Amino acid sequence: MLTAREYHFMLQEQSLRQERKEIPEKPFLVTIVGGEHSGKSTLIETFQDRGLSTYKEPENPMMQLFVENPQKYAFENQRHKMTQLMSLEILDIRHEGATSPRFRESGVLATEVYNRYLHDKGLLTDDQYGTLHWMYEHHMVTYPTPELVGYLYAPDAEVRRRAIKRDGVVAHDPTELQPYWERLLVELEDRGIPVYRINTQDHPVGVTQEMILTQAEKMKQSTDRTRRQPAVLRFVSFGTAISCRA
């Protein structure tokens, strides 16, 4: 049984899906995700140097407040970050002249990993996480999703080495977020979004770039670029999973 809020959201989403059908075909979009020091920014820069359209993750002005007082600013930090990224991705829909493929760093996709992590750490209440999850789900079912997600990762020792080299310190245990990434990747594949996993310790940035470009080209040439599954609203219900196909 859906609550009134969930039913209202479902009706609103169905209306917005009609708008989504009217959005013209856009260049093939690849979103690059991964934990800290996985090589995302470096890879995005190589695509930019190659003359391909890229969208780097913007700075979050709330981050410093969050670092200083996580308990007080966790929700505001995540809400601001999501609103910022959602706005950019919505504006990108109408952007003309992009190359195909084009590449985005992290984006709205990655926020779900950190929202869940902060909730489990007690830094977000159930209601706060529920609000953020609604924002995430609404965006995912209303606006175009990537044709391909490239997930970059490296062994723990390599991540620590990169962290010390860049920042002089390891901010957190690299293994702590891994279960959250795995959960997100499985959910993306359930939505019909292909995920390409690449170990960046084994594959230098130039090789990683060619691997992703090759995979994107294969998919572009495929005659079937339809999603394996229709978009699904995944309602937050602590203790009970609720879903509804739109």
Side-chain angles (χ1 to χ4, degrees):
M1 174 75 81
L2 300 180
T3 66
R5 179 187 182 192
E6 291 166 346
Y7 182 69
H8 172 76
F9 185 85
M10 182 183 69
L11 294 178
Q12 182 184 46
E13 184 276 333
Q14 288 174 338
S15 174
L16 288 171
R17 278 179 64 80
Q18 182 59 40
E19 294 182 20
R20 182 175 180 174
K21 292 178 181 178
E22 298 171 359
I23 295 173
E25 184 70 15
K26 302 301 292 182
F28 192 96
L29 173 62
V30 180
T31 296
I32 305 298
V33 301
E36 286 189 69
H37 309 290
S38 60
K40 301 184 302 297
S41 298
T42 301
L43 179 62
I44 289 291
E45 288 171 1
T46 68
F47 288 129
Q48 186 175 27
D49 292 342
R50 195 161 175 160
L52 296 167
S53 299
T54 58
Y55 308 90
K56 298 194 71 173
E57 189 169 11
E59 293 293 328
N60 179 9
M62 287 292 298
M63 178 57 72
Q64 188 56 44
L65 290 174
F66 167 69
V67 170
E68 294 171 359
N69 193 336
Q71 191 70 51
K72 182 177 181 179
Y73 290 107
F75 177 64
E76 292 301 328
N77 179 70
Q78 293 303 108
R79 184 172 63 175
H80 178 86
K81 184 67 172 179
M82 291 188 71
T83 303
Q84 181 186 42
L85 293 172
M86 290 167 66
S87 298
L88 291 174
E89 292 185 16
I90 292 169
L91 289 172
D92 178 46
I93 293 173
R94 300 295 179 183
H95 180 70
E96 302 294 335
T99 62
S100 185
R102 57 190 173 129
F103 298 87
R104 174 180 294 137
E105 180 183 5
S106 297
V108 175
L109 288 181
T111 61
E112 184 70 352
V113 168
Y114 298 98
N115 292 342
R116 286 172 173 163
Y117 173 74
L118 293 172
H119 175 252
D120 287 351
K121 288 293 183 182
L123 295 174
L124 293 175
T125 67
D126 287 355
D127 285 345
Q128 288 173 336
Y129 172 70
T131 297
L132 297 175
H133 186 75
W134 277 107
M135 291 170 64
Y136 171 80
E137 284 295 327
H138 182 271
H139 188 80
M140 289 291 289
V141 301
T142 306
Y143 299 101
T145 51
E147 277 76 21
L148 175 66
V149 169
Y151 173 64
L152 308 187
Y153 68 96
D156 299 343
E158 175 63 12
V159 171
R160 292 175 184 277
R161 185 192 68 79
R162 294 175 184 177
I164 292 173
K165 180 179 180 181
R166 192 186 78 175
D167 304 328
V169 65
V170 180
H172 62 267
D173 185 350
T175 65
E176 204 168 12
L177 285 171
Q178 192 56 39
Y180 296 89
W181 281 111
E182 290 298 333
R183 178 179 172 183
L184 175 67
L185 299 179
V186 169
E187 289 177 354
L188 293 178
E189 290 174 325
D190 285 345
R191 292 178 185 268
I193 303 174
V195 175
Y196 193 18
R197 297 164 171 81
I198 299 179
N199 184 332
T200 56
Q201 181 184 46
D202 295 342
H203 302 94
V205 64
V207 176
T208 298
Q209 181 193 69
E210 291 302 325
M211 290 171 67
I212 291 178
L213 286 172
T214 299
Q215 183 68 15
E217 192 58 35
K218 287 179 181 178
M219 293 180 63
K220 283 175 59 181
Q221 292 175 1
S222 172
T223 57
D224 181 16
R225 281 178 54 187
T226 59
R227 295 285 185 246
R228 295 191 299 273
Q229 299 282 346
V232 175
L233 285 171
R234 292 167 171 80
F235 297 128
V236 174
S237 179
F238 297 100
T240 305
I242 303 175
S243 67
C244 178
R245 292 196 182 279

